[in-house]
Amino acid sequence: WHATSKPAHDSLPRPTRHRPDTRVPMLSSLFRTALPLTLQPKDEEAGVAAALTPAELRSAYEGSTALVVGGTRGIGKSIASTLSAAGAAVVVVGRSAAPPGGVAADLSTAAGCKALVDELSTAGSSSGLVARNGFSFVVLTAGVWPDPSSPYTADGVDKVIAIDLLARHVLLTRLSAAGLLAAKCSVMAVLASGQWLPGPVVGDAEAIKERLAAAVLPRPLPTPPPSGSVATGMRLMLTAAVAHDVWLMGMGGRLPDGVTLLSTFPGLLVSDLMASTFPSWLVPLLQGAMAPLADSAETMGANHAAVLAAATSRRAGRATYWAAPLLEARRPHPLAEDAALGAWLLEWLDGLAEAA
């Protein structure tokens, strides 16, 4: 689940006042005990990641370069802060990001994603100077909840699919083509993926294809664009989570051999992203229900940094999937092993990017 705080307007995330720790130890313990029941089984080959001390984090990241997309708020901000404190040169991307350590970008359209990579490729820019030898680490955290009142982007793509799936595909594809991934780059895609979702919820490969195809409006785009519903939006968000597992596995065969891919189920961080989905009176109630179970921003940043640094996450040509709160590797959704679905999805995303 993605989380959000007020956008930061400085160049790099700095320590800020976070919400008080409202966790109830007994409830938090029960949540962590029950969490594996909602996820795919453990990946025994990849195993676990060790929690790292500040000194170990510095040893892992000092002198490296990192790109954190969605790094001005929520989970991305906590990860960017952790990597920066550990000595990495961090470029943060977000709508409110600003030079010298940040790049503002609108990732809701393919054109916005392409413009971001062009900016990172500009040798004279501050971000270009950091990226000149390629990023050692790329963290993709930008994500949204459904917006029933205005579900589509300017490209006519449902916002959940546009941000959670298409933007990540365009960015990673173009970063690689531009030579902005270091020879041993580790890419972490943060999304509520790797979950156990029963068949009736997401369906089979054909159902995934149909639902994704229906998330794109026909051309010419209708005026005004249609509205949506909470039920449809939530089902599409779960579909995007499964498709994300499929996409990441497929990208393992496209990127250079030295690039490793991993995805994390991030855990809970109290969020206002859900404000786009639910009535204003309901959002604080949901936030209050989440608060006793949620991780602090500092814990979430440390957990993701530990997973990103773990040697067991580096499996050439094949993605690994992690439950960050548990520091455990999990198996992806079974559909991620469907090679035909993976090939279709990559081709479909390529076509969307080109059409835009």
Side-chain angles (χ1 to χ4, degrees):
W1 299 79
H2 288 285
T4 272
S5 56
K6 291 182 179 180
H9 294 281
D10 48 357
S11 59
L12 274 177
R14 296 185 296 218
T16 58
R17 292 183 180 179
H18 299 287
R19 301 172 190 246
D21 189 349
T22 55
R23 286 175 294 170
V24 177
M26 181 178 294
L27 292 178
S28 182
S29 177
L30 287 174
F31 171 71
R32 288 179 180 276
T33 300
L35 182 58
L37 301 177
T38 72
L39 301 169
Q40 295 295 328
K42 290 184 182 181
D43 181 343
E44 300 293 349
E45 181 182 348
V48 298
L52 301 180
T53 66
E56 290 169 332
L57 284 170
R58 182 162 289 276
S59 176
Y61 292 107
E62 190 166 26
S64 66
T65 55
L67 174 68
V68 182
V69 180
T72 57
R73 55 197 303 180
I75 296 171
K77 183 176 181 179
S78 67
I79 296 172
S81 296
T82 301
L83 298 183
S84 181
V90 181
V91 175
V92 170
V93 174
R95 282 175 292 184
S96 64
V103 180
D106 177 7
L107 304 180
S108 67
T109 66
C113 296
K114 295 171 184 176
L116 169 60
V117 177
D118 290 342
E119 169 67 16
L120 294 172
S121 302
T122 303
S125 67
S126 56
S127 58
L129 292 174
V130 174
R132 63 187 181 276
N133 294 320
F135 290 105
S136 311
F137 302 97
V138 173
V139 182
L140 305 172
T141 70
V144 297
W145 277 53
D147 183 357
S149 63
S150 179
Y152 296 99
T153 69
D155 287 342
V157 181
D158 185 275
K159 291 175 181 176
V160 171
I161 300 303
I163 301 295
D164 289 5
L165 201 57
L166 179 59
R168 296 172 184 230
H169 178 73
V170 174
L171 287 176
L172 195 51
T173 299
R174 293 183 73 88
L175 285 169
S176 178
L180 295 179
L181 304 181
K184 297 294 183 181
C185 178
S186 289
V187 178
M188 172 186 281
V190 181
L191 193 71
S193 58
Q195 297 182 88
W196 179 82
L197 297 170
V201 174
V202 294
D204 57 13
E206 291 305 313
I208 294 286
K209 293 178 184 180
E210 291 175 8
R211 212 168 294 136
L212 291 176
V216 181
L217 293 176
R219 299 299 179 106
L221 298 178
T223 305
S227 58
S229 69
V230 172
T232 299
M234 294 302 293
R235 190 172 192 187
L236 191 58
M237 188 164 71
L238 295 175
T239 300
V242 175
H244 183 269
D245 280 12
V246 178
W247 167 73
L248 202 68
M249 190 70 76
M251 288 299 289
R254 278 197 174 189
L255 298 174
D257 290 341
V259 176
T260 54
L261 301 169
L262 56 151
S263 179
T264 61
F265 173 85
L268 292 178
L269 187 65
V270 176
S271 168
D272 64 6
L273 281 180
M274 63 182 71
S276 65
T277 305
F278 301 109
S280 58
W281 62 266
L282 182 57
V283 173
L285 298 178
L286 293 173
Q287 292 174 330
M290 291 171 60
L293 311 175
D295 283 323
S296 68
E298 292 83 357
T299 297
M300 192 162 283
N303 286 343
H304 282 81
V307 170
L308 186 58
T312 51
S313 71
R314 295 179 173 86
R315 186 184 295 171
R318 184 178 174 85
T320 55
Y321 301 78
W322 295 78
L326 305 175
L327 298 179
E328 289 181 352
R330 316 295 297 190
R331 295 191 61 78
H333 191 279
L335 285 174
E337 308 288 351
D338 187 329
L341 177 60
W344 177 89
L345 181 59
L346 292 179
E347 184 177 349
W348 183 74
L349 290 169
D350 287 340
L352 280 185
E354 288 301 319

PDB file of all heavy atoms in Angstrom, residues 156-171:
ATOM      1  N   GLY A 156      -5.862   8.823 -22.009  1.00  0.00           N
ATOM      2  CA  GLY A 156      -7.013   7.923 -22.062  1.00  0.00           C
ATOM      3  C   GLY A 156      -6.754   6.584 -21.407  1.00  0.00           C
ATOM      4  O   GLY A 156      -7.442   5.608 -21.702  1.00  0.00           O
ATOM      5  N   VAL A 157      -5.777   6.521 -20.503  1.00  0.00           N
ATOM      6  CA  VAL A 157      -5.451   5.284 -19.790  1.00  0.00           C
ATOM      7  C   VAL A 157      -5.890   5.440 -18.341  1.00  0.00           C
ATOM      8  O   VAL A 157      -5.670   6.498 -17.731  1.00  0.00           O
ATOM      9  CB  VAL A 157      -3.939   4.988 -19.848  1.00  0.00           C
ATOM     10  CG1 VAL A 157      -3.616   3.682 -19.112  1.00  0.00           C
ATOM     11  CG2 VAL A 157      -3.467   4.918 -21.294  1.00  0.00           C
ATOM     12  N   ASP A 158      -6.521   4.418 -17.792  1.00  0.00           N
ATOM     13  CA  ASP A 158      -6.885   4.476 -16.382  1.00  0.00           C
ATOM     14  C   ASP A 158      -5.660   4.835 -15.546  1.00  0.00           C
ATOM     15  O   ASP A 158      -4.561   4.310 -15.757  1.00  0.00           O
ATOM     16  CB  ASP A 158      -7.451   3.134 -15.924  1.00  0.00           C
ATOM     17  CG  ASP A 158      -7.944   3.179 -14.494  1.00  0.00           C
ATOM     18  OD1 ASP A 158      -7.122   3.001 -13.572  1.00  0.00           O
ATOM     19  OD2 ASP A 158      -9.146   3.406 -14.305  1.00  0.00           O
ATOM     20  N   LYS A 159      -5.830   5.741 -14.588  1.00  0.00           N
ATOM     21  CA  LYS A 159      -4.691   6.258 -13.831  1.00  0.00           C
ATOM     22  C   LYS A 159      -3.920   5.172 -13.095  1.00  0.00           C
ATOM     23  O   LYS A 159      -2.687   5.237 -12.987  1.00  0.00           O
ATOM     24  CB  LYS A 159      -5.169   7.320 -12.838  1.00  0.00           C
ATOM     25  CG  LYS A 159      -5.651   8.599 -13.490  1.00  0.00           C
ATOM     26  CD  LYS A 159      -6.220   9.569 -12.464  1.00  0.00           C
ATOM     27  CE  LYS A 159      -6.731  10.829 -13.135  1.00  0.00           C
ATOM     28  NZ  LYS A 159      -7.373  11.762 -12.165  1.00  0.00           N
ATOM     29  N   VAL A 160      -4.622   4.176 -12.570  1.00  0.00           N
ATOM     30  CA  VAL A 160      -3.928   3.097 -11.859  1.00  0.00           C
ATOM     31  C   VAL A 160      -2.995   2.349 -12.804  1.00  0.00           C
ATOM     32  O   VAL A 160      -1.830   2.086 -12.475  1.00  0.00           O
ATOM     33  CB  VAL A 160      -4.950   2.136 -11.221  1.00  0.00           C
ATOM     34  CG1 VAL A 160      -4.248   0.895 -10.672  1.00  0.00           C
ATOM     35  CG2 VAL A 160      -5.722   2.839 -10.111  1.00  0.00           C
ATOM     36  N   ILE A 161      -3.480   2.014 -13.979  1.00  0.00           N
ATOM     37  CA  ILE A 161      -2.642   1.312 -14.956  1.00  0.00           C
ATOM     38  C   ILE A 161      -1.538   2.230 -15.463  1.00  0.00           C
ATOM     39  O   ILE A 161      -0.396   1.803 -15.655  1.00  0.00           O
ATOM     40  CB  ILE A 161      -3.508   0.800 -16.126  1.00  0.00           C
ATOM     41  CG1 ILE A 161      -4.587  -0.165 -15.610  1.00  0.00           C
ATOM     42  CG2 ILE A 161      -2.636   0.118 -17.177  1.00  0.00           C
ATOM     43  CD1 ILE A 161      -4.055  -1.353 -14.847  1.00  0.00           C
ATOM     44  N   ALA A 162      -1.857   3.501 -15.666  1.00  0.00           N
ATOM     45  CA  ALA A 162      -0.873   4.446 -16.199  1.00  0.00           C
ATOM     46  C   ALA A 162       0.305   4.627 -15.257  1.00  0.00           C
ATOM     47  O   ALA A 162       1.470   4.670 -15.696  1.00  0.00           O
ATOM     48  CB  ALA A 162      -1.535   5.792 -16.468  1.00  0.00           C
ATOM     49  N   ILE A 163       0.050   4.742 -13.948  1.00  0.00           N
ATOM     50  CA  ILE A 163       1.119   5.017 -12.985  1.00  0.00           C
ATOM     51  C   ILE A 163       1.758   3.732 -12.472  1.00  0.00           C
ATOM     52  O   ILE A 163       2.989   3.609 -12.406  1.00  0.00           O
ATOM     53  CB  ILE A 163       0.586   5.841 -11.805  1.00  0.00           C
ATOM     54  CG1 ILE A 163       0.001   7.167 -12.295  1.00  0.00           C
ATOM     55  CG2 ILE A 163       1.696   6.091 -10.796  1.00  0.00           C
ATOM     56  CD1 ILE A 163       0.989   8.110 -12.904  1.00  0.00           C
ATOM     57  N   ASP A 164       0.926   2.759 -12.074  1.00  0.00           N
ATOM     58  CA  ASP A 164       1.467   1.540 -11.454  1.00  0.00           C
ATOM     59  C   ASP A 164       2.151   0.612 -12.453  1.00  0.00           C
ATOM     60  O   ASP A 164       2.967  -0.218 -12.051  1.00  0.00           O
ATOM     61  CB  ASP A 164       0.341   0.762 -10.768  1.00  0.00           C
ATOM     62  CG  ASP A 164      -0.157   1.449  -9.506  1.00  0.00           C
ATOM     63  OD1 ASP A 164       0.304   2.566  -9.226  1.00  0.00           O
ATOM     64  OD2 ASP A 164      -1.015   0.877  -8.808  1.00  0.00           O
ATOM     65  N   LEU A 165       1.825   0.750 -13.732  1.00  0.00           N
ATOM     66  CA  LEU A 165       2.331  -0.218 -14.702  1.00  0.00           C
ATOM     67  C   LEU A 165       3.006   0.450 -15.897  1.00  0.00           C
ATOM     68  O   LEU A 165       4.202   0.237 -16.139  1.00  0.00           O
ATOM     69  CB  LEU A 165       1.170  -1.100 -15.175  1.00  0.00           C
ATOM     70  CG  LEU A 165       1.499  -2.449 -15.792  1.00  0.00           C
ATOM     71  CD1 LEU A 165       2.307  -3.304 -14.837  1.00  0.00           C
ATOM     72  CD2 LEU A 165       0.206  -3.172 -16.185  1.00  0.00           C
ATOM     73  N   LEU A 166       2.275   1.276 -16.645  1.00  0.00           N
ATOM     74  CA  LEU A 166       2.825   1.844 -17.873  1.00  0.00           C
ATOM     75  C   LEU A 166       4.005   2.770 -17.593  1.00  0.00           C
ATOM     76  O   LEU A 166       5.030   2.699 -18.284  1.00  0.00           O
ATOM     77  CB  LEU A 166       1.737   2.599 -18.641  1.00  0.00           C
ATOM     78  CG  LEU A 166       2.168   3.269 -19.950  1.00  0.00           C
ATOM     79  CD1 LEU A 166       2.722   2.246 -20.935  1.00  0.00           C
ATOM     80  CD2 LEU A 166       0.995   4.027 -20.576  1.00  0.00           C
ATOM     81  N   ALA A 167       3.905   3.645 -16.600  1.00  0.00           N
ATOM     82  CA  ALA A 167       4.996   4.572 -16.303  1.00  0.00           C
ATOM     83  C   ALA A 167       6.268   3.815 -15.933  1.00  0.00           C
ATOM     84  O   ALA A 167       7.368   4.165 -16.374  1.00  0.00           O
ATOM     85  CB  ALA A 167       4.600   5.516 -15.172  1.00  0.00           C
ATOM     86  N   ARG A 168       6.141   2.771 -15.149  1.00  0.00           N
ATOM     87  CA  ARG A 168       7.317   1.982 -14.756  1.00  0.00           C
ATOM     88  C   ARG A 168       7.938   1.306 -15.976  1.00  0.00           C
ATOM     89  O   ARG A 168       9.163   1.235 -16.093  1.00  0.00           O
ATOM     90  CB  ARG A 168       6.902   0.946 -13.702  1.00  0.00           C
ATOM     91  CG  ARG A 168       6.420   1.582 -12.413  1.00  0.00           C
ATOM     92  CD  ARG A 168       5.840   0.569 -11.443  1.00  0.00           C
ATOM     93  NE  ARG A 168       5.306   1.250 -10.264  1.00  0.00           N
ATOM     94  CZ  ARG A 168       5.585   0.925  -9.001  1.00  0.00           C
ATOM     95  NH1 ARG A 168       6.381  -0.097  -8.739  1.00  0.00           N
ATOM     96  NH2 ARG A 168       5.065   1.596  -8.000  1.00  0.00           N
ATOM     97  N   HIS A 169       7.083   0.823 -16.862  1.00  0.00           N
ATOM     98  CA  HIS A 169       7.587   0.165 -18.070  1.00  0.00           C
ATOM     99  C   HIS A 169       8.349   1.155 -18.955  1.00  0.00           C
ATOM    100  O   HIS A 169       9.463   0.866 -19.418  1.00  0.00           O
ATOM    101  CB  HIS A 169       6.431  -0.440 -18.843  1.00  0.00           C
ATOM    102  CG  HIS A 169       6.820  -1.099 -20.119  1.00  0.00           C
ATOM    103  ND1 HIS A 169       7.485  -2.307 -20.171  1.00  0.00           N
ATOM    104  CD2 HIS A 169       6.678  -0.704 -21.426  1.00  0.00           C
ATOM    105  CE1 HIS A 169       7.718  -2.640 -21.426  1.00  0.00           C
ATOM    106  NE2 HIS A 169       7.242  -1.684 -22.211  1.00  0.00           N
ATOM    107  N   VAL A 170       7.754   2.318 -19.202  1.00  0.00           N
ATOM    108  CA  VAL A 170       8.394   3.312 -20.061  1.00  0.00           C
ATOM    109  C   VAL A 170       9.702   3.787 -19.442  1.00  0.00           C
ATOM    110  O   VAL A 170      10.739   3.878 -20.119  1.00  0.00           O
ATOM    111  CB  VAL A 170       7.450   4.502 -20.309  1.00  0.00           C
ATOM    112  CG1 VAL A 170       8.167   5.609 -21.090  1.00  0.00           C
ATOM    113  CG2 VAL A 170       6.210   4.050 -21.068  1.00  0.00           C
ATOM    114  N   LEU A 171       9.690   4.076 -18.150  1.00  0.00           N
ATOM    115  CA  LEU A 171      10.898   4.575 -17.496  1.00  0.00           C
ATOM    116  C   LEU A 171      12.026   3.559 -17.542  1.00  0.00           C
ATOM    117  O   LEU A 171      13.161   3.883 -17.918  1.00  0.00           O
ATOM    118  CB  LEU A 171      10.590   4.950 -16.048  1.00  0.00           C
ATOM    119  CG  LEU A 171       9.773   6.213 -15.821  1.00  0.00           C
ATOM    120  CD1 LEU A 171       9.465   6.388 -14.340  1.00  0.00           C
ATOM    121  CD2 LEU A 171      10.519   7.435 -16.353  1.00  0.00           C
TER     122      LEU A 171
END
